[in-house]
Amino acid sequence: MSTSDNRYVTQGVHDLASALWFGGTVMGIAGVNKSGSDLTSGSDRIRVAASAWQRFQPVQWGGIATILYTGSKLTAASGDRIALQKGYGSVGLLKIGFVVGGAVATAYASFAGKKIAEAAQAAEQRGEPVSVKDATIPTPTTPADLAAWQRKQRVAQFVQPLLAGGNIFCNAYLVQSYRAGQTAKGVLARLNPLT
């Protein structure tokens, strides 16, 4: 392995940031959103989850920014592979799409969370009961605007780990492309337009 191929620190930081993003979103869906269901007040169920997600946001955005930064460094160092190895560039573009799409889903989930908090507060001020199963699951008696935002946030939150996971799978493909056999296959495929 040449010095130019030895980017294990950048790759390691990239992988850790990807794991943090994926794991954090799964933990949020499975743990944070459900944790409020132990409370009796619907408003408290929303507040507990909102508070936890708000505290996690800087870490989550730091992970996404780190993925983008280290990914750009890894891409810049892989110029020859992008040019010579068939499939490398297209998977790299797909990986970027997963990260950017995931960042958009993350931002939208955060926006929906603010709308949920506003809708819950408005319902309380109108004297309506704020009945929710948990932070993102309404009950049949949940005020319509609150329930709509809960559903939107739930979808955005489920999309996040799917896109973060897609990023990890693309990364695994790209790392495996450095193996001698895969490199040879990719270069031969690029040279032979019929493959």
Side-chain angles (χ1 to χ4, degrees), residues 32-54:
V32 170
N33 289 350
K34 306 287 183 208
S35 64
S37 63
D38 296 335
L39 304 171
T40 55
S41 163
S43 294
D44 287 343
R45 290 175 179 176
I46 291 169
R47 281 189 198 102
V48 164
S51 176
W53 277 108
Q54 190 174 24

Side-chain angles (χ1 to χ4, degrees), residues 65-131:
T66 300
I67 292 166
L68 290 169
Y69 176 75
T70 54
S72 70
K73 293 292 186 189
L74 293 167
T75 299
S78 300
D80 291 345
R81 285 191 184 278
I82 293 168
L84 296 174
Q85 197 168 338
K86 186 173 182 180
Y88 196 89
S90 57
V91 172
L93 284 173
L94 180 61
K95 182 176 171 8
I96 291 167
F98 281 135
V99 176
V100 171
V104 170
T106 299
Y108 188 77
S110 176
F111 175 74
K114 289 177 185 171
K115 290 296 189 180
I116 288 168
E118 290 170 6
Q121 186 177 16
E124 280 184 326
Q125 289 172 349
R126 292 189 306 265
E128 294 180 42
V130 177
S131 172

Side-chain angles (χ1 to χ4, degrees), residues 2-194:
S2 71
T3 306
S4 64
D5 281 340
N6 193 359
R7 294 177 292 280
Y8 67 89
V9 173
T10 305
Q11 186 66 59
V13 171
H14 182 83
D15 292 350
L16 288 171
S18 297
L20 172 114
W21 183 29
F22 177 80
T25 57
V26 171
M27 184 278 304
I29 293 166
V32 170
N33 289 350
K34 306 287 183 208
S35 64
S37 63
D38 296 335
L39 304 171
T40 55
S41 163
S43 294
D44 287 343
R45 290 175 179 176
I46 291 169
R47 281 189 198 102
V48 164
S51 176
W53 277 108
Q54 190 174 24
R55 284 177 169 80
F56 179 63
Q57 263 189 351
V59 175
Q60 187 175 29
W61 282 110
I64 293 169
T66 300
I67 292 166
L68 290 169
Y69 176 75
T70 54
S72 70
K73 293 292 186 189
L74 293 167
T75 299
S78 300
D80 291 345
R81 285 191 184 278
I82 293 168
L84 296 174
Q85 197 168 338
K86 186 173 182 180
Y88 196 89
S90 57
V91 172
L93 284 173
L94 180 61
K95 182 176 171 8
I96 291 167
F98 281 135
V99 176
V100 171
V104 170
T106 299
Y108 188 77
S110 176
F111 175 74
K114 289 177 185 171
K115 290 296 189 180
I116 288 168
E118 290 170 6
Q121 186 177 16
E124 280 184 326
Q125 289 172 349
R126 292 189 306 265
E128 294 180 42
V130 177
S131 172
V132 295
K133 186 171 181 182
D134 68 27
T136 61
I137 300 176
T139 66
T141 60
T142 302
D145 58 338
L146 173 55
W149 280 110
Q150 283 184 298
R151 289 185 197 98
K152 290 173 185 176
Q153 186 183 48
R154 187 171 175 79
V155 169
Q157 286 180 344
F158 272 91
V159 166
Q160 288 176 68
L162 293 176
L163 294 173
N167 163 60
I168 291 169
F169 271 93
C170 286
N171 190 53
Y173 174 89
L174 294 174
V175 168
Q176 288 299 308
S177 295
Y178 274 75
R179 295 173 64 170
Q182 293 302 102
T183 300
K185 278 185 194 175
V187 170
L188 289 173
R190 175 73 73 199
L191 294 173
N192 182 359
L194 299 177

